[in-house]
Amino acid sequence: MSGLDWPGLMRVGLQGLGLQPREFWRLTPAELAMMVGDAAATAPLTRARLNELAAVWPDKVKGSRDDRGGRA
């Protein structure tokens, strides 16, 4: 037993949100929580936050010294 209230979750998903069964079963618990409006759910990644992360962790140019393979 997983401890999850599957009948309750299915009622919320199928009746409350109007999801089709195949749509409901493809969701992760985090996605369902966000759709229901769970305040504890993680907010989606915004463009601003993505830009912040890209500034801290930029992509490396293949073949550059930053590339883990190094130069040949």
Side-chain angles (χ1 to χ4, degrees):
M1 199 70 187
S2 67
L4 292 176
D5 176 15
W6 286 109
L9 291 172
M10 290 176 69
R11 263 192 306 281
V12 168
L14 302 177
Q15 294 175 351
L17 297 173
L19 299 171
Q20 294 295 314
R22 69 181 171 277
E23 296 169 325
F24 173 82
W25 290 112
R26 287 180 180 157
L27 293 172
T28 65
E31 291 169 330
L32 183 58
M34 284 179 57
M35 292 176 79
V36 171
D38 184 356
T42 303
L45 182 66
T46 64
R47 173 55 72 176
R49 181 64 179 137
L50 178 60
N51 290 338
E52 289 173 13
L53 291 170
V56 174
W57 302 99
D59 289 337
K60 306 298 182 200
V61 177
K62 190 169 186 152
S64 71
R65 289 181 175 238
D66 291 333
D67 183 21
R68 290 182 185 251
R71 292 193 152 204

